[in-house]
Structure formats: C-alpha cells, structure tokens
Amino acid sequence: MSAAIISFHRPMRRLLPLLLAGGLGLSATPAPTPAHTFTLGAEQFLLDGKPFQMISGELHYPRIPREAWRQRLKMAKAMGLNTVGTYVFWNAHEPQPGQYDFTGNNDVAAFVKMAQEEGLWVVLRPSPYVCAEWEFGGYPYWLQNIAGLKVRSQEPQYVAAYRRYLQAVAKQLAPLQVNHGGPILMVQVENEYGSYGSDKAYLASNKKLFEEVGFDGLLYTCDPVRDVAAGHLPGLLPAVNGTDKPSQIRKLVQANHGGKGPYYVAEWYPAWFDWWGTKHHTVPARNYTPGLDSVLRAGMSINMYMFHGGTTRGFMNGANYKGDSSHYEPQISSYDYDAPLDEAGNATPKFLAFREVIAKYRPAGQPLPAVPAAKPSVALPALQFTQNSSLLDRLPAPVASATPLTFEALKQAYGFVLYRATVTGGGTQKLKISDLRDYAVVMVNGKRVGTLDRRLRQDALEVALPAGPVQLDILVENLGRVNFGEYLLQNNKGITKSVSLGGTEVKSWKMFGLPFDQAPTLAKTSGRALTATSAPTIRSIAFNVDKPVDTYLDLRTWGKGVVWVNGHNLGRYWAIGPQQTLYVPAEWLKKGQNTIAVLELLKPEQTKLPFLDHAILNDLQPGVATTTND
C-alpha cells in the first residue's frame, strides 16, 4: 500500500474500499509503461507501425563505472543516437557454476532501464559468445573443466549450461523488451557465427532457447560481409557487419531474407582495438563520415562499434591467436578504440564529425541536444612509495602435484599462479616450459633470472644454478584467453604441459594460486621499508584528494603489473606499450584518503608513481621488459 494512502486522515478512510477497488480511478501502484510493437517492414523497421531508423552506438556496461553510465548515455543522445547496443557477458555474470552476479557494474537490467530513462532504445546482444576483445569471448573459464564440452555446438553439456545461463539472463532482461514496455527493440541470437561455422541446426537450437526463456520479440543474427550466408538462420533478419556500402548491404540482406529488408549494419567500425607491442590504432573521422552519410541517406539502420569503448578492467581482456604460425596477441586494458567518445567519456573530433552527419537525418523539429563540456582531468601530485612486500613472502597455502596444474585444474579463472619445485643445482642448465600460457617470471632462490613471453614464442632460457638444493619458482600470468576463432577450446592457462631442466622433466610441484580478485593490502606489521629485491613486489600507499576528478597514472618508468585504486582493479600496464597510462575515473576516487596498490613484476626498485591529466596510448618501447635472461 502506498504511503499516500497510509497518510489519509480519518474521514478519507471511508473511501478506501472505493479507492482500492478502482472506484475513483486511483491505483496503489504506478501504471505500467505502454508496450510498443517493433516489426520488420519490407524496407524499414516499423515502431508502432511507423518507419524507424536506428542510429545506434555500442557501449558495454562492465567497461564503464556504474556511476558514469548515465553520463555516457547522455553523450550518446548528444551525438544524435536514438539507440545503444550492448553485449551481455557470461563470464561476468556466472564466474563460477551456478553463482550468478547481476549486481553493481554487472547490473545489466539497471543499465537498460537507465537507457530508457534517457530516451534511448536498446539492441541487446546476450549470445553466450560475444568476442568483444573480452576474455574467452565471454565464456566462463570453468566450461573447460567439463570433459567433452564443446562451445558453439549442440553438445548436450554445453547446451545445458547455456540454457541455465540464458534463463538467468532472461529473468533480468526479458521483461524489458519493447513489447513488454521496455526499451529493448531486438535481441541477437549468437554472434558472427558464420565466421566460426555453418551449422543451421545449431543456430535453430539457439533461436528456440531464446524463445523458451522469454525473448519473444524480434530476434536477429549478425555476420561480417563474407560470412552472412554461413551465419544466417532462415526466418531471422540477417544483419551485416563491417560495411557502409548501401548496395552491398541491400544485396546481402535480400539474398538471405526473401528479397526483403529492412537493412541493419550491426557493427560499423570507426577504428579498431589494440594489443600489447603494436601501435595504437587510429583512423581520421574524414575516412568514415562519407560512409556513415551514405548509410543514413539510404534510410538504413546502423550501430557503430564502438561508440564508446571504455576500459577492460581487471583481467578481462581477450587475445587473438590463429595457430602455431601466428603470434599470440593479448589485448591492452584500454578499450579506447579511437571511438567517438574517448576512454574517459569525452567527445572527440570524431564525435563532432559524426554528430554533424547525423544531424542531417534528424526528424523535423527535433534538434540535437547540446554537447556536454569535457570532464575536467588533473595531474595529481606524484606518489612516493616507502613500503613494500615481496610477493614471495605472502603466498597462500599451496596445492601439491607431481606435475604442474593449469589454472583450470586449480579452479582459478584469472590472475597468476606461482609454480614451485626444488631442483638439484650446479652449473648452467636449460629450463624449458612446454606450452607456457602466457608470461612467466623465472626465479632461482627468490632472485629473478629471466622472463618468458608467449607473444614472442619464448619457452626456454639458460639458468645458472648454485650448488645444492635450489628453489625454482615460475610465476605465470594469464594474459587473456583467446576470444575469436577455432582456438576457443584450447584456452587453458598456466603451465599446460611440463617443465624440464637440462633435458629432465621436473616433478613434485607446489602451486600457489594468486587470482587477485581482491586488491592486495599491506598490513601495518607486514609492510616494511623498501628493500632490495628482484622478485615481484606489492606496494601500497594512501594519498589524499581534495576533490575527486579524472586522472591518469603515468607508468612509463615502471615494468609490468597491475594497479588497484580504492579496491578497483584498473587493469594491466606493460612498458612495451602502446598503453603507458591507466585511467583513474573520478567516480572511483573519494574526497579525503584514497589507496593505491601496485603489483610490479619486473622493476621492484621503482618507487615513484606520477600522474598525468591525459592518456598516453601510442608509446611503444620495443624490447623493454621482454628479454629472456635478466
């Protein structure tokens, strides 16, 4: 019962039966949002029976601080978008089997509702596979622990896990479809499946699952130009990715959709993503405005991927790998993407250029909102660390095994595992790791003696061993599971086969799991004055902020590691570049005391951490921190 009814005076209480019965037209609950229809016309989408052109931009709720969602959505409106698109990320929502998380930054329903509040429609992409330069393409790591399970197939164990997950997603999002009064116009079935396979029965089973769990509105598929025929399911709208040529779009859609439209470019790329050790990808807006104009002039709908990339925080970046003849390419933490909206949510020249094009196609009498001013950013005073703790001094209880265990066998999704064995020393011997995934810091008696990097196909180094028993430590980092292609099912992490020393296999291992799913802390009693060490170290410091404001950590003089601010994992840094800064959102700082924790793998002597008022995303330092022998 509403507070308004409870507070009625005594004479009014005589009217309560009439009120509650609807006699005076009052209700204790708000009226539901009116439902709409969204259907396919021969040439255009029809919203409530009238032509509707989607001008959409992709942005991902986990890549944006929840406190900043609304600001990013307002920026979408200011550029002229009427729709936003987002994936739904299985590994974010079911990190362990049956443990679902739709809270905080994972509250996708709140994100969708907020878009509606801001006057935006939504295209939802809840396919269990997302790609998205995201760890394992969105799949949870634990699927690999189920013997025989095969993702993107009709294998029964996969379908069962998929169904349970989709049911959980539908509870959150099915009521928010447009035909139920929500903003979700369309729901995507699978994701660029034609680039992976062509099993129409598998696609049909996907469609059936979506319908069974409650997605009863308009469903569609999307595929790159060359893969539309393979990835399309007859009866669903085939969206096209990676083109802005109206004649090509029309031909592809009609060929797979009974000679009809409407026409939707589900992924139109204004630039590209980055990976470690390669230059930052940028493309001038002028290269794209003619294509955008041509699509909109043709009355077609479009979704730019990305409108705003944000940041792939924590350990959730993916990687590319195409086989033994190719390099493993882990993606950086910044997902700036050279998008119209930069990593911090500010308008770029590309934003303004695209806005100018979109303005030409606005309905009469609907001018664009003003562009909000850029958020301020500052360079805070540099921090000087005075205490540290060696990673080797704060290990958890180990798991013992004759041979090394993978992350998956240890039921650990991300982060690091320290592998330890006692070997017989004396002389210099060749250490070889079979199928290292992905980066290793090798230590002898607690001293770093080298690193191995899967990107560079490094798997061996010569190590000098003192006489007698020697403690061999190998700290292995998961740099991100492959998110695209045929190697999705070969994504185990850690030491995935064996270790040999001088040609003899090393046995009797202890594994120390270091997932760092929480920020590391230095207790007052354990933190100590900085001491000389070559092993990875953890540093922590408190600092004051007068007013929370965007800033950037300048890590150009550091080596490789991870940073947390007030418990939030900001992502990875690596001196090789191209990313040299980590974005610190104002929303995650507090007035007064704040804390920063750093895990540094390669430069434990580094003590000064400066700030900048801008990002550095295109500074390569070839050869830095990549040598096999220190």
Side-chain angles (χ1 to χ4, degrees):
M1 188 179 293
S2 74
I5 292 178
I6 292 172
S7 65
F8 282 151
H9 294 297
R10 187 185 304 267
M12 195 63 164
R13 291 179 185 164
R14 300 185 187 124
L15 296 178
L16 277 176
L18 287 173
L19 293 172
L20 295 176
L24 295 181
L26 243 60
S27 172
T29 57
T33 306
H36 296 269
T37 61
F38 190 71
T39 57
L40 305 179
E43 289 289 316
Q44 294 176 304
F45 292 106
L46 301 176
L47 179 61
D48 294 332
K50 299 177 181 178
F52 180 77
Q53 183 179 30
M54 283 188 291
I55 306 176
S56 178
E58 187 98 0
L59 65 169
H60 299 149
Y61 55 97
R63 285 177 156 137
I64 308 165
R66 178 173 179 154
E67 301 87 343
W69 284 351
R70 193 174 299 276
Q71 184 270 345
R72 305 303 197 267
L73 294 168
K74 287 182 181 296
M75 294 298 291
K77 286 282 286 187
M79 198 175 81
L81 304 183
N82 57 25
T83 307
V84 294
T86 187
Y87 284 121
V88 183
F89 300 83
W90 188 352
N91 52 14
H93 295 297
E94 193 180 5
Q96 297 290 345
Q99 298 178 13
Y100 296 104
D101 180 6
F102 292 96
T103 63
N105 244 96
N106 291 334
D107 192 346
V108 60
F111 178 77
V112 169
K113 292 173 184 175
M114 193 177 291
Q116 185 174 30
E117 292 167 3
E118 294 300 323
L120 291 160
W121 301 101
V122 174
V123 172
L124 191 71
R125 312 175 74 187
S127 161
Y129 171 72
V130 300
C131 188
E133 291 70 63
W134 191 266
E135 227 273 350
F136 202 2
Y139 285 121
Y141 86 96
W142 51 262
L143 290 176
Q144 297 181 106
N145 283 339
I146 302 174
L149 184 145
K150 186 177 181 181
V151 300
R152 307 191 87 176
S153 78
Q154 296 186 77
E155 191 277 319
Q157 297 172 107
Y158 170 67
V159 174
Y162 174 4
R163 177 182 283 108
R164 288 191 298 269
Y165 164 69
L166 207 56
Q167 286 171 338
V169 170
K171 287 179 183 177
Q172 300 289 320
L173 297 171
L176 298 177
Q177 295 172 101
V178 67
N179 51 322
H180 297 280
I184 298 173
L185 297 176
M186 299 199 301
V187 176
Q188 180 180 290
V189 174
E190 246 290 353
N191 184 55
E192 296 190 324
Y193 175 69
S195 301
Y196 186 83
S198 58
D199 185 347
K200 303 298 183 183
Y202 164 68
L203 286 174
S205 70
N206 273 259
K207 175 179 179 287
K208 182 179 179 182
L209 276 177
F210 272 73
E211 292 170 340
E212 286 177 354
V213 301
F215 287 111
D216 55 1
L218 188 58
L219 304 177
Y220 75 101
T221 61
C222 82
D223 290 282
V225 168
R226 67 181 181 275
D227 300 321
V228 171
H232 168 242
L233 179 66
L236 297 187
L237 176 72
V240 184
N241 292 355
T243 179
D244 51 22
K245 299 180 176 66
S247 60
Q248 184 181 50
I249 298 163
R250 187 173 285 108
K251 182 178 179 180
L252 282 167
V253 173
Q254 290 179 352
N256 292 279
H257 200 230
K260 297 180 180 180
Y263 308 99
Y264 178 46
V265 180
E267 293 187 13
W268 177 71
Y269 310 108
W272 206 239
F273 59 90
D274 295 330
W275 53 95
W276 292 111
T278 60
K279 68 177 183 178
H280 178 45
H281 293 81
T282 60
V283 186
R286 64 178 178 272
N287 291 22
Y288 285 102
T289 49
L292 176 62
D293 188 85
S294 68
V295 170
L296 297 182
R297 185 170 62 250
M300 297 177 173
S301 292
I302 194 167
N303 177 58
M304 55 190 67
Y305 189 105
M306 300 290 294
F307 159 66
H308 170 55
T311 311
T312 310
R313 295 184 177 85
F315 304 112
M316 299 308 287
N317 64 279
N320 280 329
Y321 179 66
K322 298 176 183 177
D324 291 340
S325 62
S326 78
H327 288 277
Y328 167 74
E329 298 170 344
Q331 291 123 20
I332 67 173
S333 292
S334 171
Y335 203 55
D336 174 87
Y337 217 93
D338 192 33
L341 211 62
D342 70 15
E343 187 176 5
N346 295 314
T348 66
K350 191 172 285 184
F351 178 103
L352 299 175
F354 289 178
R355 183 177 189 267
E356 188 174 337
V357 172
I358 292 168
K360 298 194 298 185
Y361 301 97
R362 294 282 292 180
Q366 294 186 25
L368 286 170
V371 179
K375 301 180 336 180
S377 62
V378 301
L380 296 174
L383 303 177
Q384 186 71 42
F385 291 94
T386 59
Q387 291 185 318
N388 73 345
S389 176
S390 170
L391 183 65
L392 301 183
D393 291 340
R394 43 185 299 134
L395 299 175
V399 174
S401 173
T403 56
L405 299 177
T406 64
F407 278 52
E408 290 73 20
L410 294 167
K411 294 184 169 55
Q412 180 176 322
Y414 318 115
F416 303 77
V417 170
L418 181 79
Y419 295 81
R420 174 172 289 174
T422 300
V423 298
T424 301
T428 297
Q429 300 185 47
K430 184 176 183 179
L431 175 73
K432 182 176 175 61
I433 303 177
S434 295
D435 271 5
L436 168 67
R437 299 184 185 173
D438 300 300
Y439 184 88
V441 178
V442 180
M443 291 165 278
V444 170
N445 289 340
K447 179 182 178 181
R448 188 181 77 242
V449 296
T451 60
L452 295 172
D453 185 347
R454 180 186 178 190
R455 296 176 317 113
L456 306 178
R457 301 193 184 100
Q458 296 170 346
D459 64 358
L461 74 161
E462 298 290 328
V463 294
L465 302 174
V470 172
Q471 178 180 293
L472 174 66
D473 286 327
I474 306 172
L475 179 67
V476 178
E477 179 181 5
N478 165 8
L479 281 176
R481 292 182 178 85
V482 175
N483 60 263
F484 180 82
E486 61 183 303
Y487 291 93
L488 283 172
L489 285 169
Q490 298 178 34
N491 253 331
N492 287 338
K493 291 298 180 181
I495 297 175
T496 61
K497 290 185 179 176
S498 62
V499 177
S500 64
L501 190 62
T504 301
E505 184 176 357
V506 179
K507 295 293 187 80
S508 298
W509 290 90
K510 293 181 179 178
M511 274 71 56
F512 301 85
L514 298 163
F516 287 110
D517 42 17
Q518 301 292 327
T521 57
L522 290 182
K524 292 181 180 179
T525 55
S526 66
R528 62 186 182 220
L530 289 169
T531 55
T533 177
S534 63
T537 187
I538 294 170
R539 299 211 177 82
S540 181
I541 193 170
F543 65 102
N544 288 319
V545 171
D546 293 332
K547 181 182 179 181
V549 65
D550 279 1
T551 189
Y552 298 82
L553 294 171
D554 180 2
L555 292 148
R556 285 175 290 180
T557 59
W558 291 66
K560 188 179 194 306
V562 186
V563 181
W564 293 260
V565 170
N566 292 332
H568 297 282
N569 188 327
L570 299 181
R572 310 176 203 258
Y573 64 90
W574 197 352
I576 62 173
Q579 177 178 356
Q580 298 290 350
T581 53
L582 281 172
Y583 169 52
V584 183
E587 293 84 359
W588 286 351
L589 292 174
K590 301 179 290 187
K591 179 178 173 60
Q593 190 176 87
N594 296 261
T595 60
I596 281 184
V598 181
L599 169 63
E600 168 59 48
L601 303 183
L602 302 176
K603 290 188 175 182
E605 72 280 1
Q606 186 65 31
T607 60
K608 187 177 182 180
L609 181 55
F611 289 85
L612 293 172
D613 62 1
H614 61 279
I616 298 177
L617 299 177
N618 194 18
D619 183 0
L620 289 173
Q621 299 185 36
V624 173
T626 62
T627 56
T628 60
N629 198 343
D630 296 334

